[in-house]
Amino acid sequence: MSVNPEVVREVSEFNNYYNSLAELLNRHLADNNLSLSALRVLVKLRDEEDQCTAGKLIANLGIDGGYLSRILKTFETNQLISKRKSTMDGRTWYLQLTPKGRKLLEILEEGSAQQVSQLLEPLGSEQQLALAGAMKTVRHILSDDAKISADDITFRRDLQPGDAGFIMHMHGSLYAKEAGYNLEYETHICKTFYEFLEAYNSSKDQVFLAMHGNQIIGSIAVLGHSRYATQMRWFLVHPDYRGLGIGQRLLTEAVNAAKEKLFQKIYLITTAQQVAATTLFKKNGFRKSGEKHMPMWGLQLTEERYEIDLI
Amino acid sequence: MSVNPEVVREVSEFNNYYNSLAELLNRHLADNNLSLSALRVLVKLRDEEDQCTAGKLIANLGIDGGYLSRILKTFETNQLISKRKSTMDGRTWYLQLTPKGRKLLEILEEGSAQQVSQLLEPLGSEQQLALAGAMKTVRHILSDDAKISADDITFRRDLQPGDAGFIMHMHGSLYAKEAGYNLEYETHICKTFYEFLEAYNSSKDQVFLAMHGNQIIGSIAVLGHSRYATQMRWFLVHPDYRGLGIGQRLLTEAVNAAKEKLFQKIYLITTAQQVAATTLFKKNGFRKSGEKHMPMWGLQLTEERYEIDLI
DNA sequence: AAATCTGTTTGACAAAAGCAATTAAAAAAC
DNA sequence: GTTTTTTAATTGCTTTTGTCAAACAGATTT
């Protein structure tokens, strides 16, 4: 992939900036007679669940073997780690933190938290959240293992000001990017939202939002159009958050809501191009009840109707 | 301000993560026999436009005086900096980079850019942009001087899929937060967008967006409602970006567009509560042509109409 | 003019980190 | 089945980085 020079500049400047900041944030290490490298070793030893060896640390942390050896030795004399000889290979030792080592790490993290708190103290609560979000984004993009887990996702069932616009934004931009839909599609979504908002009634309508922090990353809704049938709409999960089961969770919530509100059936309109979605619908008991080829949103699409009986 | 423990955790983890990353990004320094501190001194000397002294560096970079003295000495013997005795104070020296020093800094930054490029290489272009945006946000929140400048803002006059939704989102959430409007307001915005999108015609309608990276942070539009008059709508600048003249710039662009399209007058509807906006309108030649007290969007508001003749 | 203060330098030293040689066990080659 | 080579870890030696306290010299105050 080609590299955007503007991005390179920003990353370099950020690095420069963060180097100064790190100085401040890592100051508490000195109080515990630990070097940054030593800390990293300690952390790695805790996080590495299967047996860790010196070689692994060298490879993972990129630190000199001799230096590491000395660090480990002092750890051992201070009873922060224990070594166990490998039965496979007489040269290697399995390393693990002792309770005392864990304890120290906790203390260190407490100290770190205090430094951080001091840094955050002058910031407003929104700014704090924005900061955490941005940092999470950075980590998420750069590291493979800082993957967002389903635990980070929360769900919300009230519609707050700004939500409708954001869902519309997600639909407009994502379908344009992923499926090539034109502006007419967003116009259509806009219309559906206008109709919905004008007649919003929580006894028959229900919106569900999947959130990451204060950011909407998935949506679904059931809209009671008659006494018997409810229409499912705005089913979407942001591509960065797919594969975490969020779609299934939203769908389940929506179906349950429809049942609770005593609707007899749910129907929805989608296109055959939405393979992931239609697969999920079928898996959840929906059946195709109609299809129609037609020019839509700048493309030639197959509109499909699905429905499910709830009783 | 109280500190959010979740945020503290994320910042700590981020710091932890970045410590490892910094190792990688700063590796090129060793090739030039420079310590991180030495680099910071060099950068500071370049960026500090007025004469820099050792004391200033100590205060700004938080580095030990003795250590700094030595760093500066080696810089001097390597002809990277030159010293000039102060006429005010015989103890202090004014320090500045020599051309050779500047040159070295450039080489270093080139090296840094290469490291960064390597890091960015596996990322997609959107991810790169998202990364830069997030880093900018972090710096922006944490440092006072990394303020966003007007230079970082670009303007766009085409309406892409997703834009309408995002503008609606901004209106809905910001007016709710800042003015206490309820969901009816977003419904209203949704209606205006639906009407607009259905009949969008670039010969009479024009949207302007202020962008920070790929994020919309301000908007305005003129919508030709008759042959003579055009309505101005969706005038908003995100609070984080106010005071940079973005509002004025948007307004000017909108008025110019209306003139170009040969409209004879512009009118707009706002509320008396929007003091910043109405002040700007008046400053730009708009005059109030009507007002009406009425319950709107959950509040008792004064709706105002402004207009300006273009010929 | 003496005392104090301030900006910078120097000396002594400790901690952090890197490099090369060494040891011992494992794997590969003969 | 022994020898050679490779690999994991350690040890000795060195450089670099950074800290602390004392010294110095010019400025400021008393």
Side-chain angles (χ1 to χ4, degrees), chain A residues 72-121:
Chain A
L72 292 176
K73 201 200 281 177
T74 63
F75 278 179
E76 211 185 353
T77 58
N78 291 334
Q79 294 168 32
L80 301 175
I81 63 168
S82 58
K83 288 163 92 173
R84 202 160 45 73
K85 200 164 192 163
S86 165
T87 49
M88 302 281 108
D89 186 331
R91 295 166 303 178
T92 65
W93 299 80
Y94 292 130
L95 309 166
Q96 57 264 316
L97 289 186
T98 60
K100 195 177 165 194
R102 277 171 201 285
K103 184 76 195 164
L104 175 65
L105 207 43
E106 273 172 39
I107 291 169
L108 273 136
E109 282 172 349
E110 179 51 36
S112 166
Q114 287 199 358
Q115 295 278 356
V116 170
S117 294
Q118 242 176 309
L119 184 74
L120 296 179
E121 219 274 330

Side-chain angles (χ1 to χ4, degrees), chain B residues 34-35 37 64 67 70 88-91:
Chain B
L34 275 183
S35 68
S37 302
D64 176 73
Y67 184 33
R70 268 176 264 266
M88 302 282 107
D89 187 332
R91 295 165 304 178

Side-chain angles (χ1 to χ4, degrees), chain B residues 222 228-232 251 255 258 264-270 277-278 280-291 304-311:
Chain B
V222 285
Y228 308 105
T230 181
Q231 178 171 17
M232 187 176 285
L251 192 52
V255 170
Q264 292 172 18
K265 85 186 209 183
I266 307 176
Y267 70 95
L268 63 92
I269 312 284
T270 183
T278 53
L280 203 57
F281 293 142
K282 286 173 197 154
K283 213 176 78 184
N284 280 266
F286 285 77
R287 63 179 192 286
K288 202 200 297 189
S289 62
E291 69 176 351
E304 293 185 336
R305 180 187 170 105
Y306 283 81
E307 44 185 87
I308 186 173
D309 293 320
L310 300 176
I311 39 175

Side-chain angles (χ1 to χ4, degrees), chain B residues 91-310:
Chain B
R91 295 165 304 178
T92 65
W93 299 81
Y94 292 131
L95 308 166
Q96 57 263 316
L97 290 186
T98 60
K100 195 178 164 193
R102 275 171 202 285
K103 183 76 194 165
L104 175 66
L105 206 43
E106 274 172 38
I107 291 169
L108 274 138
E109 282 173 347
E110 177 52 35
S112 165
Q114 286 198 359
Q115 297 277 359
V116 171
S117 294
Q118 244 176 308
L119 185 75
L120 296 179
E121 218 274 329
L123 302 178
S125 62
E126 298 153 49
Q127 283 192 304
Q128 291 182 23
L129 285 175
L131 180 69
M135 285 183 164
K136 192 141 204 161
T137 302
V138 172
R139 278 210 296 154
H140 178 223
I141 293 175
L142 290 179
S143 75
D144 309 320
D145 49 81
K147 277 265 169 286
I148 288 155
S149 84
D151 302 344
D152 298 327
I153 308 299
T154 56
F155 292 84
R156 169 147 89 62
R157 51 181 75 204
D158 60 322
L159 190 79
Q160 295 173 7
D163 291 346
F166 197 83
I167 298 171
M168 180 171 142
H169 162 69
M170 275 177 68
H171 277 78
S173 59
L174 289 174
Y175 277 95
K177 193 194 300 172
E178 302 191 329
Y181 293 3
N182 63 14
L183 247 180
E184 287 169 41
Y185 179 64
E186 194 173 5
T187 307
H188 164 69
I189 294 290
C190 188
K191 182 182 181 184
T192 64
F193 264 109
Y194 177 54
E195 289 166 358
F196 162 67
L197 286 170
E198 266 218 313
Y200 180 38
N201 176 346
S202 64
S203 76
K204 60 182 181 60
D205 303 326
Q206 182 71 62
V207 175
F208 288 101
L209 302 176
M211 311 289 299
H212 182 222
N214 48 5
Q215 187 85 352
I216 296 174
I217 53 100
S219 61
I220 202 167
V222 285
L223 313 179
H225 277 178
S226 77
R227 274 188 59 193
Y228 308 105
T230 181
Q231 178 171 17
M232 187 176 285
R233 271 195 159 150
W234 310 319
F235 182 39
L236 183 61
V237 175
H238 190 283
D240 290 357
Y241 298 86
R242 286 176 195 162
L244 296 172
I246 297 172
Q248 177 59 63
R249 170 73 189 273
L250 287 170
L251 192 52
T252 306
E253 293 272 16
V255 170
N256 287 344
K259 282 179 183 164
E260 274 168 32
K261 290 178 196 293
L262 301 175
F263 286 105
Q264 292 172 18
K265 85 186 209 183
I266 307 176
Y267 70 95
L268 63 92
I269 312 284
T270 183
T271 67
Q273 283 70 25
Q274 301 306 316
V275 181
T278 53
T279 307
L280 203 57
F281 293 142
K282 286 173 197 154
K283 213 176 78 184
N284 280 266
F286 285 77
R287 63 179 192 286
K288 202 200 297 189
S289 62
E291 69 176 351
K292 185 159 48 165
H293 296 273
M294 55 194 290
M296 268 197 301
W297 309 319
L299 301 171
Q300 189 64 37
L301 298 173
T302 307
E303 183 181 280
E304 293 185 336
R305 180 187 170 105
Y306 283 81
E307 44 185 87
I308 186 173
D309 293 320
L310 300 176

Side-chain angles (χ1 to χ4, degrees), chain A residues 159-178:
Chain A
L159 190 77
Q160 294 173 8
D163 291 346
F166 198 83
I167 298 170
M168 179 171 143
H169 162 68
M170 275 177 68
H171 277 78
S173 59
L174 289 175
Y175 277 95
K177 193 194 299 171
E178 301 191 331

